[in-house]
Amino acid sequence: MFKYFPTNYVWNLSVDLAIEMGARIGEIEAMCAPLQEAAKAPDAAGTRAFRETWVRMADQLCSLADEDRARGRLFSAGEKLRRASGYLITAERLQAHDAPGRRALYERELALFLEGSRLMGDRVQRVEIPYEGKTLSALYLPAEGLQPGQRAPLLMQVNGLDSTKEMKYLVGLPGWLAQRGVSSLIVDQPGTGEALRLHGLTARFDSEHWASRVVDWLETRDDVDPQRIGMEGVSLGGYYCPRAVAHEPRFACGVVWGANHDWRDVQKRRLEKEGNFPVPHYWAHVCWVWGAKDVDDFMRIAENVHLDGVVEKIRVPFLVTHGEKDSQIPLKWAQRTYEQLINSPKRELKVFTDREGGVQHSSFDNSINAGHYIADWVAETLHGRIA
């Protein structure tokens, strides 16, 4: 794990995630060098300082992109705008949920991502899926070489506790799948991204409720093979995904990138100061995500967030991956998920070690080898291509 700040795991996690999303090391240095003392400050003061330097770099990139556009250099402009969106994602993610200006920061990030992608010629599309009288937003990337009227396999991808669809897209799995003939739908499910920030849709333990609505929508598309729809979840998605696949028989396979078999136990350990937190203001954050009025109410909700008695219902191929040195979710929970996949016709547990990298939580320390492993497994399972 790259540790720019020796004493601040949460900030190091954020810097590493930014690098995985395409940050440049010189810009990382420019943003982080002034923050050494702020990294030791309390959450509110520290995250304000973090936000200021990262937003300043995003502003600088947007200014440079304007110069590129004025000269007709649209590819260059697009890349800078999308890189700026990654820096805003990183800054926004660390703020308290009620921090002044957080929503505006988030909306700017969304706009920069889409505009940057358009100028770059990226084929990614923003789509909206009807849900509970509102919508779930998602990013759709079709498989490479898909011809009109041709139906491709698709992997639906969902967030963890504090990630967003743009973060997952920028890390790279959708692109790696597209090369292998597999389309992607990356969803801001309830409790994450646009669903939480713009529509007030909080998380729910019965993830099949929203996952099934997404499958309903996918079945209406003429470019998706309804018999070859899989699901992947990262981090807390390592709970959401197995739960949904167990209860929604239309999924053809499942993958977790970082297992999360018993999140209720993880919360109990965190109350006892065990394990690392993924974000500042952690307890206020989880109450916001789950719509809890206080920590006691949240702990009551969390009692439902486990997979005992659930994973046994999965009857399709399933891949469980985990980092050997995950300091947020113990490896034993990946082993538990695998052990209970007794009815899966093709189950696999892949633990990423120092040899291949990706040993930290959901491989945020080095995602590419782990991501390619997942992409190959999905392509093999959903009959895409690996060469």
Side-chain angles (χ1 to χ4, degrees), residues 52 62 125 159 220 236 238 247 268:
E52 288 172 3
C62 289
Q125 308 162 29
N159 299 313
T220 69
L236 185 53
H247 289 90
K268 293 171 183 175

Side-chain angles (χ1 to χ4, degrees), residues 20-40:
E20 293 305 297
M21 287 190 285
R24 309 305 298 181
I25 196 64
E27 292 168 355
I28 290 284
E29 171 65 15
M31 292 184 287
C32 292
L35 294 175
Q36 290 293 352
E37 288 305 311
K40 305 170 188 176

Side-chain angles (χ1 to χ4, degrees), residues 207-260:
S207 53
E208 67 275 11
H209 183 274
W210 46 261
S212 293
R213 302 293 78 75
V214 176
V215 177
D216 291 343
W217 181 83
L218 286 169
E219 288 187 330
T220 69
R221 296 187 63 97
D222 61 7
D223 56 356
V224 174
D225 184 344
Q227 304 303 312
R228 293 188 290 165
I229 298 172
M231 184 174 180
E232 178 265 352
V234 63
S235 189
L236 185 53
Y239 162 79
Y240 293 131
C241 172
R243 166 87 196 198
V245 172
H247 289 90
E248 174 47 78
R250 290 176 291 177
F251 283 118
C253 71
V255 181
V256 297
W257 197 344
N260 225 319

Side-chain angles (χ1 to χ4, degrees), residues 244-358:
V245 172
H247 289 90
E248 174 47 78
R250 290 176 291 177
F251 283 118
C253 71
V255 181
V256 297
W257 197 344
N260 225 319
H261 189 94
D262 195 335
W263 202 62
R264 62 181 174 180
D265 182 80
V266 172
Q267 305 319 300
K268 293 171 183 175
R269 302 289 77 78
R270 285 176 176 169
L271 280 175
E272 298 169 1
K273 312 297 184 185
E274 293 182 19
N276 287 314
F277 289 165
V279 289
H281 327 280
Y282 179 77
W283 296 108
H285 182 83
V286 293
C287 288
W288 175 47
V289 167
W290 289 90
K293 62 179 183 291
D294 54 31
V295 173
D296 287 341
D297 188 36
F298 164 70
M299 293 302 292
R300 178 188 59 78
I301 294 169
E303 281 296 317
N304 294 307
V305 189
H306 68 90
L307 295 170
D308 288 335
V310 174
V311 178
E312 294 90 338
K313 299 175 183 177
I314 293 175
R315 298 183 181 277
V316 294
F318 208 98
L319 172 64
V320 180
T321 76
H322 210 78
E324 185 178 46
K325 298 178 180 178
D326 190 322
S327 59
Q328 292 179 211
I329 307 296
L331 177 58
K332 67 178 181 180
W333 295 124
Q335 295 163 338
R336 176 78 65 85
T337 296
Y338 174 76
E339 290 164 0
Q340 293 183 2
L341 282 165
I342 56 176
N343 290 310
S344 169
K346 176 188 173 185
R347 62 174 177 167
E348 180 179 344
L349 172 62
K350 175 60 178 176
V351 178
F352 298 113
T353 67
D354 285 331
R355 180 171 177 266
E356 59 265 271

